[in-house]
């Protein structure tokens, strides 16, 4: 079933779990996320960065949307780090049910202005919107960007930003970075900043750059009140580690001979993340609550 982010995360918030958002840039990774979700009866978010959409091409989403719609578990197809109204509209045309507009590098007032513009357009057709305040760091190993130093979200700005933009979910910067951390860097999340934000706002909160943080830190953040955790590097790394191993020890050339084991290796990482987020088995809650499939024309 395809639903939007608001439908997805309100249930997560009420039931105290988080949903993993996994970046997808080809049919192998789409299979990893959808099949892992089905095998674990867990909700999942298919996240697509503008550079990933450039690579897959728009027609890929006729397959992705129909695969998600026909599944027994709930999915959101979400644009990750949309950078302009144009990239947001492209995602909407591809059938995405949710978008993120990332104005976090802009001055506060300009971030409010572009985010509100996207909300005004998207809410007319039931597409949910994620905004970002503060900036996620970048380890230098990810295409998603970020800054070399994390600028923490100011809790006092969060409520004002939500009120002035009308966003459905907010990505907060509490110390994570995109990519896999270099060996000499230890990521550390500021739980006090998260608790402060939580005390001031009511909408679901999002954690970007969730790869390679210590499991107990992510679990703690979910407990305090994170409802969506973005994962990209960790599961892609597992896929290609297996792929390198197969290619360096065999002469195989057929995708259907090489990829099944790579898909399984990536699925194992997705399952482990779902355990951490407490989302395994939670697809049943959406069925129990009788959540209805999302349609683009719905308000
Ligand atoms: Zn991100």
């Amino acid at each position: 079933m395809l639903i939007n982010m608001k439908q997805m995360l309100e249930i997560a918030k009420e039931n105290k779990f988080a949903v993993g958002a996994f970046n997808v840039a080809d049919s192998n990774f789409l299979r990893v996320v959808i099949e892992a979700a089905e095998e674990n009866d867990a909700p999942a978010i298919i996240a697509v960065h503008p550079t990933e959409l450039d690579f897959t091409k728009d027609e890929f989403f006729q397959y992705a949307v129909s695969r998600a719609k026909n599944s027994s578990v709930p999915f959101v197809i979400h644009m990750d780090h949309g950078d302009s109204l144009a990239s947001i509209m492209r995602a909407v045309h591809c059938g995405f049910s949710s978008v993120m507009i990332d104005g976090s590098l802009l001055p506060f007032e300009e971030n409010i202005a572009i985010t509100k513009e996207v909300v005004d357009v998207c809410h007319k057709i039931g597409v949910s919107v994620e905004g970002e305040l503060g900036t996620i760091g970048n380890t230098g190993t990810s295409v998603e960007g970020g800054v070399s130093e994390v600028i923490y979200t100011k809790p006092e700005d969060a409520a004002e930003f939500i009120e002035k933009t009308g966003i459905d979910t907010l990505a907060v910067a509490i110390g994570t970075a995109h990519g896999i951390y270099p060996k000499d860097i230890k990521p550390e999340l500021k739980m006090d900043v998260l608790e402060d934000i939580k005390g001031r706002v009511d909408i679901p909160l999002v954690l970007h750059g969730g790869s390679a943080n210590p499991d107990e830190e992510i679990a703690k953040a979910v407990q305090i009140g994170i409802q969506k955790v973005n994962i990209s590097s960790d599961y892609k790394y597992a896929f290609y580690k297996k792929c390198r191993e197969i290619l360096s020890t065999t002469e195989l050339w057929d995708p259907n001979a090489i990829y099944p084991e790579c898909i399984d290796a990536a699925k194992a990482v997705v399952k482990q993340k779902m355990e951490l987020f407490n989302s395994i088995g939670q697809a049943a809650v959406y069925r129990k609550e009788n959540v209805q499939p999302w349609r683009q024309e719905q308000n």
Side-chain angles (χ1 to χ4, degrees), residues 18-68:
V19 183
F22 303 92
N23 280 82
V24 163
D26 73 12
S27 63
N28 282 322
F29 285 93
L30 183 73
R31 278 191 52 188
V32 169
V33 178
I34 290 193
E35 290 175 16
E38 288 173 341
E39 285 161 20
N40 295 291
D41 204 32
I45 296 155
I46 295 155
V48 184
H49 190 272
T51 57
E52 291 171 316
L53 180 51
D54 279 342
F55 177 74
T56 59
K57 308 297 177 204
D58 300 36
E59 293 76 10
F60 176 75
F61 289 93
Q62 294 184 12
Y63 160 56
V65 167
S66 102
R67 182 66 182 82

Side-chain angles (χ1 to χ4, degrees), residues 80-81 100 132 136 144 178 208-209 230:
D80 187 29
H81 293 283
M100 172 191 191
E132 179 175 331
I136 318 286
E144 285 159 69
H178 289 129
H208 280 244
N230 289 22

Side-chain angles (χ1 to χ4, degrees), residues 25-291:
D26 73 12
S27 63
N28 282 322
F29 285 93
L30 183 73
R31 278 191 52 188
V32 169
V33 178
I34 290 193
E35 290 175 16
E38 288 173 341
E39 285 161 20
N40 295 291
D41 204 32
I45 296 155
I46 295 155
V48 184
H49 190 272
T51 57
E52 291 171 316
L53 180 51
D54 279 342
F55 177 74
T56 59
K57 308 297 177 204
D58 300 36
E59 293 76 10
F60 176 75
F61 289 93
Q62 294 184 12
Y63 160 56
V65 167
S66 102
R67 182 66 182 82
K69 277 185 175 170
N70 289 315
S71 179
S72 59
V73 307
F75 291 100
V76 172
I77 301 184
H78 172 75
M79 165 145 283
D80 187 29
H81 293 283
D83 50 7
S84 62
L85 190 58
S87 72
I88 298 292
M89 293 321 291
R90 186 178 175 190
V92 167
H93 279 286
C94 289
F96 288 39
S97 58
S98 171
V99 296
M100 172 191 191
I101 176 70
D102 181 357
S104 63
L105 292 177
L106 298 170
F108 187 60
E109 294 299 331
E110 286 175 43
N111 188 2
I112 289 176
I114 189 169
T115 304
K116 182 169 187 318
E117 189 183 11
V118 168
V119 167
D120 286 346
V121 171
C122 289
H123 277 186
K124 287 195 172 67
I125 49 168
V127 171
S128 41
V129 180
E130 174 182 329
E132 179 175 331
L133 249 196
T135 53
I136 318 286
N138 185 6
T139 57
T141 59
S142 160
V143 296
E144 285 159 69
V147 290
S148 50
E149 203 137 341
V150 177
I151 299 167
Y152 293 91
T153 302
K154 290 197 192 82
E156 60 273 25
D157 286 349
E160 184 185 348
F161 187 73
I162 292 166
E163 193 194 325
K164 289 189 170 165
T165 58
I167 48 169
D168 303 290
T169 59
L170 177 68
V172 293
I174 56 167
T176 51
H178 289 129
I180 290 175
Y181 297 93
K183 284 199 172 62
D184 55 333
I185 291 186
K186 277 216 160 44
E188 201 188 331
L189 300 189
K190 288 201 173 172
M191 300 300 173
D192 53 329
V193 175
L194 177 59
E195 293 202 30
D196 195 351
I197 297 169
K198 196 76 215 164
R200 295 166 191 252
V201 308
D202 208 28
I203 63 172
L205 299 176
V206 176
L207 191 63
H208 280 244
S211 282
N213 284 83
D215 284 357
E216 57 277 14
E217 277 198 354
I218 299 286
K220 182 81 201 295
V222 171
Q223 243 174 41
I224 295 174
I226 288 284
Q227 282 82 33
K228 167 174 174 266
V229 183
N230 289 22
I231 299 289
S232 182
S233 312
D234 274 358
Y235 92 118
K236 290 174 178 170
Y237 185 85
F239 182 97
Y240 285 109
K241 183 169 183 247
K242 178 55 81 179
C243 198
R244 270 190 286 273
E245 190 185 303
I246 294 169
L247 294 178
S248 63
T249 54
T250 70
E251 291 291 322
L252 292 171
W253 65 85
D254 254 324
N256 53 1
I258 296 166
Y259 289 142
E261 280 186 67
C262 307
I263 288 173
D264 285 345
K267 270 189 199 170
V269 174
V270 170
K271 182 181 180 186
Q272 188 256 329
K273 299 293 179 187
M274 286 169 165
E275 275 165 3
L276 206 57
F277 306 154
N278 186 29
S279 65
I280 289 186
Q282 303 282 15
V285 182
Y286 295 79
R287 290 191 289 268
K288 202 178 113 218
E289 301 274 337
N290 199 22
V291 174

